[in-house]
Amino acid sequence: MNPAADAKRYNLGNGGLVRFDWKVGEAISLYGLPFADLVFQAQSVHRQNFNPSHVETASLVSIKTGGCPEDCGYCSQSAHFDTGVQSTRLMDGHDVVVAAKRAKEAGATRFCMAAAWRSPKERDLDQVCDMVSAVKGLGMETCVTLGMLTATQAVKLSEAGLDFYNHNVDTSPEFYRSIISTRTLEDRIDTLAHVREAGIKVCCGGIIGMGERVEDRLGMLVLLANLPSHPESVPINLWNEVKGVPVNEKAERPDPIAVTRLVATARIMMPKSVVRLSAGRQYMTDELQALCFLAGANSIFIGDTLLTTRNPKLDRDAHLFARLGITSELTEPSSAADRGAD
């Protein structure tokens, strides 16, 4: 391949060809391009679909922690493993609104609420719908992740004003069974279909660094890119180290260049999706995050904690954005000194 031929092949002059028929072999070839060529392609696609100097900021809070009956081998909140995470009841709606207001003041434009359930009970869902409506009233985008949904439950959330539903596929179809046995990949796809049919936008991605092969990471992207509609948000999570879970035995943190390559490949395969650097950013250097933004990532979670794990502090994110000239609700570059100029 060469850059001119690749540009024609992927229709980069038209903002990237939106395809739903990707093959794993194609993704492997794309991922394996010379690094400069791959990032050039990804940046070209990114610029034609997004402002390349703007990053979306979202905030994530756990509204119900621990005690989940699923056996996801990476998760600190699974009741199957002794991780030291205590099970809690569903947060009070007033406390959720207070947290949302605090997140908005810090610069978050989207507020995501997560509950450690296999699927929500109706009485709990009614409370979550009230939370969604209240947060929506603050002028923020809303997102929830509650496990599997029925079609009726998805409609109820839509009527409450929900903007996004997060339900990750986690990994490739081939690797999936080695980390989860209590919920099938087909269960996840069914929930995504219910969400789509209810008119809610989809947030769906996965986790890397659990001991999977590069081919599994790309197989995950192929799965996402071949859904009937691409997810509006694609979170890429680096697995957070959690004591007491099976993934610990085989986990291996991805090479920084491999992370950048995956972000660039995701940007080209899903040109109009927002690609979010999600969990695990505390392991990423500023230089790696800058490379990922260059390769097409354009969203992050802000706040010191993501569910039960650490996240970079706000001042670190604000300083990095200022140095890179990135705009967001979190910060605006104010001077050359803030951007790291001499």
Side-chain angles (χ1 to χ4, degrees), residues 123-152:
R123 67 176 181 273
D124 293 327
L125 186 65
D126 289 339
Q127 293 182 62
V128 173
C129 285
D130 290 341
M131 295 174 190
V132 168
S133 296
V135 173
K136 187 84 169 176
L138 300 176
M140 302 183 77
E141 289 185 321
T142 54
C143 177
V144 298
T145 177
L146 313 172
M148 294 183 291
L149 295 180
T150 65
T152 301

PDB file of all heavy atoms in Angstrom, residues 123-152:
ATOM      1  N   ARG A 123     -38.735  -1.313  39.520  1.00  0.00           N
ATOM      2  CA  ARG A 123     -38.778  -0.231  40.506  1.00  0.00           C
ATOM      3  C   ARG A 123     -37.491   0.588  40.479  1.00  0.00           C
ATOM      4  O   ARG A 123     -37.514   1.808  40.680  1.00  0.00           O
ATOM      5  CB  ARG A 123     -39.024  -0.802  41.900  1.00  0.00           C
ATOM      6  CG  ARG A 123     -37.894  -1.660  42.462  1.00  0.00           C
ATOM      7  CD  ARG A 123     -38.194  -2.101  43.892  1.00  0.00           C
ATOM      8  NE  ARG A 123     -37.125  -2.909  44.467  1.00  0.00           N
ATOM      9  CZ  ARG A 123     -37.019  -4.214  44.328  1.00  0.00           C
ATOM     10  NH1 ARG A 123     -37.934  -4.872  43.618  1.00  0.00           N
ATOM     11  NH2 ARG A 123     -36.017  -4.876  44.892  1.00  0.00           N
ATOM     12  N   ASP A 124     -36.370  -0.085  40.201  1.00  0.00           N
ATOM     13  CA  ASP A 124     -35.105   0.632  40.087  1.00  0.00           C
ATOM     14  C   ASP A 124     -35.061   1.460  38.809  1.00  0.00           C
ATOM     15  O   ASP A 124     -34.540   2.586  38.793  1.00  0.00           O
ATOM     16  CB  ASP A 124     -33.939  -0.351  40.116  1.00  0.00           C
ATOM     17  CG  ASP A 124     -33.779  -1.046  41.460  1.00  0.00           C
ATOM     18  OD1 ASP A 124     -34.079  -0.407  42.485  1.00  0.00           O
ATOM     19  OD2 ASP A 124     -33.380  -2.216  41.472  1.00  0.00           O
ATOM     20  N   LEU A 125     -35.600   0.897  37.742  1.00  0.00           N
ATOM     21  CA  LEU A 125     -35.599   1.622  36.471  1.00  0.00           C
ATOM     22  C   LEU A 125     -36.402   2.907  36.574  1.00  0.00           C
ATOM     23  O   LEU A 125     -36.020   3.946  36.007  1.00  0.00           O
ATOM     24  CB  LEU A 125     -36.149   0.740  35.350  1.00  0.00           C
ATOM     25  CG  LEU A 125     -36.055   1.340  33.948  1.00  0.00           C
ATOM     26  CD1 LEU A 125     -34.599   1.507  33.524  1.00  0.00           C
ATOM     27  CD2 LEU A 125     -36.789   0.459  32.933  1.00  0.00           C
ATOM     28  N   ASP A 126     -37.512   2.870  37.301  1.00  0.00           N
ATOM     29  CA  ASP A 126     -38.314   4.082  37.482  1.00  0.00           C
ATOM     30  C   ASP A 126     -37.498   5.170  38.165  1.00  0.00           C
ATOM     31  O   ASP A 126     -37.569   6.351  37.782  1.00  0.00           O
ATOM     32  CB  ASP A 126     -39.562   3.765  38.312  1.00  0.00           C
ATOM     33  CG  ASP A 126     -40.590   2.931  37.551  1.00  0.00           C
ATOM     34  OD1 ASP A 126     -40.535   2.927  36.308  1.00  0.00           O
ATOM     35  OD2 ASP A 126     -41.433   2.290  38.203  1.00  0.00           O
ATOM     36  N   GLN A 127     -36.704   4.790  39.155  1.00  0.00           N
ATOM     37  CA  GLN A 127     -35.855   5.770  39.843  1.00  0.00           C
ATOM     38  C   GLN A 127     -34.780   6.312  38.907  1.00  0.00           C
ATOM     39  O   GLN A 127     -34.476   7.513  38.921  1.00  0.00           O
ATOM     40  CB  GLN A 127     -35.216   5.137  41.073  1.00  0.00           C
ATOM     41  CG  GLN A 127     -36.199   4.767  42.169  1.00  0.00           C
ATOM     42  CD  GLN A 127     -35.493   4.185  43.386  1.00  0.00           C
ATOM     43  OE1 GLN A 127     -34.673   4.851  44.026  1.00  0.00           O
ATOM     44  NE2 GLN A 127     -35.795   2.946  43.708  1.00  0.00           N
ATOM     45  N   VAL A 128     -34.186   5.432  38.088  1.00  0.00           N
ATOM     46  CA  VAL A 128     -33.171   5.885  37.143  1.00  0.00           C
ATOM     47  C   VAL A 128     -33.780   6.844  36.121  1.00  0.00           C
ATOM     48  O   VAL A 128     -33.161   7.850  35.754  1.00  0.00           O
ATOM     49  CB  VAL A 128     -32.509   4.685  36.439  1.00  0.00           C
ATOM     50  CG1 VAL A 128     -31.582   5.163  35.324  1.00  0.00           C
ATOM     51  CG2 VAL A 128     -31.738   3.832  37.439  1.00  0.00           C
ATOM     52  N   CYS A 129     -34.997   6.561  35.676  1.00  0.00           N
ATOM     53  CA  CYS A 129     -35.666   7.461  34.728  1.00  0.00           C
ATOM     54  C   CYS A 129     -35.858   8.846  35.336  1.00  0.00           C
ATOM     55  O   CYS A 129     -35.686   9.869  34.653  1.00  0.00           O
ATOM     56  CB  CYS A 129     -37.017   6.875  34.311  1.00  0.00           C
ATOM     57  SG  CYS A 129     -36.899   5.490  33.158  1.00  0.00           S
ATOM     58  N   ASP A 130     -36.182   8.901  36.621  1.00  0.00           N
ATOM     59  CA  ASP A 130     -36.312  10.197  37.300  1.00  0.00           C
ATOM     60  C   ASP A 130     -34.962  10.913  37.335  1.00  0.00           C
ATOM     61  O   ASP A 130     -34.882  12.135  37.149  1.00  0.00           O
ATOM     62  CB  ASP A 130     -36.838  10.005  38.728  1.00  0.00           C
ATOM     63  CG  ASP A 130     -38.298   9.565  38.767  1.00  0.00           C
ATOM     64  OD1 ASP A 130     -38.996   9.759  37.753  1.00  0.00           O
ATOM     65  OD2 ASP A 130     -38.721   9.015  39.809  1.00  0.00           O
ATOM     66  N   MET A 131     -33.887  10.153  37.568  1.00  0.00           N
ATOM     67  CA  MET A 131     -32.545  10.749  37.563  1.00  0.00           C
ATOM     68  C   MET A 131     -32.210  11.311  36.189  1.00  0.00           C
ATOM     69  O   MET A 131     -31.671  12.414  36.061  1.00  0.00           O
ATOM     70  CB  MET A 131     -31.500   9.696  37.946  1.00  0.00           C
ATOM     71  CG  MET A 131     -31.604   9.154  39.354  1.00  0.00           C
ATOM     72  SD  MET A 131     -30.406   7.799  39.586  1.00  0.00           S
ATOM     73  CE  MET A 131     -30.940   7.147  41.180  1.00  0.00           C
ATOM     74  N   VAL A 132     -32.511  10.547  35.144  1.00  0.00           N
ATOM     75  CA  VAL A 132     -32.235  10.981  33.778  1.00  0.00           C
ATOM     76  C   VAL A 132     -32.951  12.298  33.491  1.00  0.00           C
ATOM     77  O   VAL A 132     -32.361  13.258  32.961  1.00  0.00           O
ATOM     78  CB  VAL A 132     -32.658   9.898  32.771  1.00  0.00           C
ATOM     79  CG1 VAL A 132     -32.648  10.459  31.340  1.00  0.00           C
ATOM     80  CG2 VAL A 132     -31.732   8.686  32.860  1.00  0.00           C
ATOM     81  N   SER A 133     -34.216  12.370  33.842  1.00  0.00           N
ATOM     82  CA  SER A 133     -34.990  13.581  33.580  1.00  0.00           C
ATOM     83  C   SER A 133     -34.427  14.773  34.344  1.00  0.00           C
ATOM     84  O   SER A 133     -34.343  15.892  33.810  1.00  0.00           O
ATOM     85  CB  SER A 133     -36.456  13.353  33.969  1.00  0.00           C
ATOM     86  OG  SER A 133     -37.048  12.348  33.175  1.00  0.00           O
ATOM     87  N   ALA A 134     -34.012  14.544  35.591  1.00  0.00           N
ATOM     88  CA  ALA A 134     -33.474  15.636  36.402  1.00  0.00           C
ATOM     89  C   ALA A 134     -32.142  16.132  35.848  1.00  0.00           C
ATOM     90  O   ALA A 134     -31.898  17.346  35.779  1.00  0.00           O
ATOM     91  CB  ALA A 134     -33.312  15.165  37.850  1.00  0.00           C
ATOM     92  N   VAL A 135     -31.271  15.214  35.451  1.00  0.00           N
ATOM     93  CA  VAL A 135     -29.968  15.616  34.890  1.00  0.00           C
ATOM     94  C   VAL A 135     -30.163  16.303  33.547  1.00  0.00           C
ATOM     95  O   VAL A 135     -29.491  17.287  33.232  1.00  0.00           O
ATOM     96  CB  VAL A 135     -29.040  14.391  34.762  1.00  0.00           C
ATOM     97  CG1 VAL A 135     -27.756  14.767  34.015  1.00  0.00           C
ATOM     98  CG2 VAL A 135     -28.709  13.818  36.132  1.00  0.00           C
ATOM     99  N   LYS A 136     -31.085  15.798  32.768  1.00  0.00           N
ATOM    100  CA  LYS A 136     -31.406  16.429  31.481  1.00  0.00           C
ATOM    101  C   LYS A 136     -31.847  17.880  31.705  1.00  0.00           C
ATOM    102  O   LYS A 136     -31.524  18.770  30.915  1.00  0.00           O
ATOM    103  CB  LYS A 136     -32.515  15.627  30.800  1.00  0.00           C
ATOM    104  CG  LYS A 136     -32.837  16.068  29.386  1.00  0.00           C
ATOM    105  CD  LYS A 136     -31.904  15.441  28.394  1.00  0.00           C
ATOM    106  CE  LYS A 136     -32.412  15.668  26.978  1.00  0.00           C
ATOM    107  NZ  LYS A 136     -31.463  15.133  25.989  1.00  0.00           N
ATOM    108  N   GLY A 137     -32.568  18.107  32.809  1.00  0.00           N
ATOM    109  CA  GLY A 137     -33.027  19.447  33.136  1.00  0.00           C
ATOM    110  C   GLY A 137     -31.914  20.419  33.463  1.00  0.00           C
ATOM    111  O   GLY A 137     -32.123  21.639  33.456  1.00  0.00           O
ATOM    112  N   LEU A 138     -30.719  19.903  33.749  1.00  0.00           N
ATOM    113  CA  LEU A 138     -29.560  20.754  34.012  1.00  0.00           C
ATOM    114  C   LEU A 138     -28.899  21.225  32.719  1.00  0.00           C
ATOM    115  O   LEU A 138     -27.947  22.001  32.752  1.00  0.00           O
ATOM    116  CB  LEU A 138     -28.523  19.994  34.841  1.00  0.00           C
ATOM    117  CG  LEU A 138     -28.959  19.490  36.217  1.00  0.00           C
ATOM    118  CD1 LEU A 138     -27.829  18.682  36.856  1.00  0.00           C
ATOM    119  CD2 LEU A 138     -29.363  20.642  37.120  1.00  0.00           C
ATOM    120  N   GLY A 139     -29.382  20.724  31.582  1.00  0.00           N
ATOM    121  CA  GLY A 139     -28.798  21.090  30.299  1.00  0.00           C
ATOM    122  C   GLY A 139     -27.633  20.197  29.899  1.00  0.00           C
ATOM    123  O   GLY A 139     -26.835  20.583  29.035  1.00  0.00           O
ATOM    124  N   MET A 140     -27.534  19.016  30.501  1.00  0.00           N
ATOM    125  CA  MET A 140     -26.454  18.086  30.177  1.00  0.00           C
ATOM    126  C   MET A 140     -26.983  16.934  29.334  1.00  0.00           C
ATOM    127  O   MET A 140     -28.164  16.577  29.420  1.00  0.00           O
ATOM    128  CB  MET A 140     -25.830  17.508  31.458  1.00  0.00           C
ATOM    129  CG  MET A 140     -25.282  18.540  32.412  1.00  0.00           C
ATOM    130  SD  MET A 140     -24.497  17.777  33.859  1.00  0.00           S
ATOM    131  CE  MET A 140     -22.924  17.246  33.154  1.00  0.00           C
ATOM    132  N   GLU A 141     -26.108  16.352  28.512  1.00  0.00           N
ATOM    133  CA  GLU A 141     -26.448  15.096  27.865  1.00  0.00           C
ATOM    134  C   GLU A 141     -26.436  13.992  28.918  1.00  0.00           C
ATOM    135  O   GLU A 141     -25.672  14.047  29.878  1.00  0.00           O
ATOM    136  CB  GLU A 141     -25.439  14.757  26.768  1.00  0.00           C
ATOM    137  CG  GLU A 141     -25.531  15.629  25.544  1.00  0.00           C
ATOM    138  CD  GLU A 141     -24.596  15.169  24.447  1.00  0.00           C
ATOM    139  OE1 GLU A 141     -23.461  14.767  24.773  1.00  0.00           O
ATOM    140  OE2 GLU A 141     -24.992  15.212  23.267  1.00  0.00           O
ATOM    141  N   THR A 142     -27.284  12.997  28.727  1.00  0.00           N
ATOM    142  CA  THR A 142     -27.404  11.924  29.710  1.00  0.00           C
ATOM    143  C   THR A 142     -27.019  10.584  29.093  1.00  0.00           C
ATOM    144  O   THR A 142     -27.276  10.317  27.919  1.00  0.00           O
ATOM    145  CB  THR A 142     -28.844  11.830  30.239  1.00  0.00           C
ATOM    146  OG1 THR A 142     -29.750  11.695  29.136  1.00  0.00           O
ATOM    147  CG2 THR A 142     -29.204  13.064  31.056  1.00  0.00           C
ATOM    148  N   CYS A 143     -26.398   9.749  29.928  1.00  0.00           N
ATOM    149  CA  CYS A 143     -26.024   8.404  29.516  1.00  0.00           C
ATOM    150  C   CYS A 143     -26.172   7.489  30.720  1.00  0.00           C
ATOM    151  O   CYS A 143     -25.888   7.910  31.854  1.00  0.00           O
ATOM    152  CB  CYS A 143     -24.579   8.388  29.014  1.00  0.00           C
ATOM    153  SG  CYS A 143     -23.955   6.749  28.552  1.00  0.00           S
ATOM    154  N   VAL A 144     -26.636   6.276  30.508  1.00  0.00           N
ATOM    155  CA  VAL A 144     -26.673   5.290  31.579  1.00  0.00           C
ATOM    156  C   VAL A 144     -26.131   3.965  31.069  1.00  0.00           C
ATOM    157  O   VAL A 144     -26.152   3.686  29.865  1.00  0.00           O
ATOM    158  CB  VAL A 144     -28.095   5.068  32.154  1.00  0.00           C
ATOM    159  CG1 VAL A 144     -28.649   6.337  32.769  1.00  0.00           C
ATOM    160  CG2 VAL A 144     -29.047   4.511  31.108  1.00  0.00           C
ATOM    161  N   THR A 145     -25.644   3.150  31.994  1.00  0.00           N
ATOM    162  CA  THR A 145     -25.282   1.771  31.701  1.00  0.00           C
ATOM    163  C   THR A 145     -25.820   0.930  32.847  1.00  0.00           C
ATOM    164  O   THR A 145     -25.394   1.077  33.995  1.00  0.00           O
ATOM    165  CB  THR A 145     -23.758   1.592  31.499  1.00  0.00           C
ATOM    166  OG1 THR A 145     -23.463   0.218  31.289  1.00  0.00           O
ATOM    167  CG2 THR A 145     -22.954   2.128  32.668  1.00  0.00           C
ATOM    168  N   LEU A 146     -26.788   0.072  32.527  1.00  0.00           N
ATOM    169  CA  LEU A 146     -27.552  -0.652  33.545  1.00  0.00           C
ATOM    170  C   LEU A 146     -27.577  -2.151  33.296  1.00  0.00           C
ATOM    171  O   LEU A 146     -28.328  -2.872  33.954  1.00  0.00           O
ATOM    172  CB  LEU A 146     -29.007  -0.138  33.573  1.00  0.00           C
ATOM    173  CG  LEU A 146     -29.215   1.381  33.581  1.00  0.00           C
ATOM    174  CD1 LEU A 146     -30.702   1.708  33.417  1.00  0.00           C
ATOM    175  CD2 LEU A 146     -28.672   1.995  34.873  1.00  0.00           C
ATOM    176  N   GLY A 147     -26.776  -2.629  32.360  1.00  0.00           N
ATOM    177  CA  GLY A 147     -26.832  -4.038  32.001  1.00  0.00           C
ATOM    178  C   GLY A 147     -27.776  -4.271  30.842  1.00  0.00           C
ATOM    179  O   GLY A 147     -28.034  -3.378  30.026  1.00  0.00           O
ATOM    180  N   MET A 148     -28.330  -5.459  30.775  1.00  0.00           N
ATOM    181  CA  MET A 148     -29.215  -5.813  29.662  1.00  0.00           C
ATOM    182  C   MET A 148     -30.579  -5.148  29.816  1.00  0.00           C
ATOM    183  O   MET A 148     -31.079  -4.990  30.928  1.00  0.00           O
ATOM    184  CB  MET A 148     -29.372  -7.332  29.578  1.00  0.00           C
ATOM    185  CG  MET A 148     -28.096  -8.052  29.226  1.00  0.00           C
ATOM    186  SD  MET A 148     -28.313  -9.839  29.035  1.00  0.00           S
ATOM    187  CE  MET A 148     -28.654 -10.319  30.735  1.00  0.00           C
ATOM    188  N   LEU A 149     -31.165  -4.783  28.685  1.00  0.00           N
ATOM    189  CA  LEU A 149     -32.486  -4.145  28.666  1.00  0.00           C
ATOM    190  C   LEU A 149     -33.445  -4.926  27.789  1.00  0.00           C
ATOM    191  O   LEU A 149     -33.047  -5.516  26.783  1.00  0.00           O
ATOM    192  CB  LEU A 149     -32.393  -2.728  28.102  1.00  0.00           C
ATOM    193  CG  LEU A 149     -31.614  -1.659  28.852  1.00  0.00           C
ATOM    194  CD1 LEU A 149     -31.680  -0.346  28.069  1.00  0.00           C
ATOM    195  CD2 LEU A 149     -32.141  -1.474  30.264  1.00  0.00           C
ATOM    196  N   THR A 150     -34.716  -4.885  28.163  1.00  0.00           N
ATOM    197  CA  THR A 150     -35.767  -5.347  27.266  1.00  0.00           C
ATOM    198  C   THR A 150     -36.151  -4.177  26.362  1.00  0.00           C
ATOM    199  O   THR A 150     -35.792  -3.016  26.627  1.00  0.00           O
ATOM    200  CB  THR A 150     -36.999  -5.809  28.045  1.00  0.00           C
ATOM    201  OG1 THR A 150     -37.574  -4.664  28.723  1.00  0.00           O
ATOM    202  CG2 THR A 150     -36.638  -6.882  29.068  1.00  0.00           C
ATOM    203  N   ALA A 151     -36.912  -4.467  25.317  1.00  0.00           N
ATOM    204  CA  ALA A 151     -37.363  -3.406  24.420  1.00  0.00           C
ATOM    205  C   ALA A 151     -38.225  -2.394  25.173  1.00  0.00           C
ATOM    206  O   ALA A 151     -38.120  -1.181  24.961  1.00  0.00           O
ATOM    207  CB  ALA A 151     -38.139  -4.014  23.251  1.00  0.00           C
ATOM    208  N   THR A 152     -39.065  -2.883  26.077  1.00  0.00           N
ATOM    209  CA  THR A 152     -39.943  -2.001  26.849  1.00  0.00           C
ATOM    210  C   THR A 152     -39.138  -1.085  27.763  1.00  0.00           C
ATOM    211  O   THR A 152     -39.444   0.108  27.897  1.00  0.00           O
ATOM    212  CB  THR A 152     -40.937  -2.830  27.682  1.00  0.00           C
ATOM    213  OG1 THR A 152     -41.715  -3.639  26.807  1.00  0.00           O
ATOM    214  CG2 THR A 152     -41.856  -1.934  28.489  1.00  0.00           C
TER     215      THR A 152
END
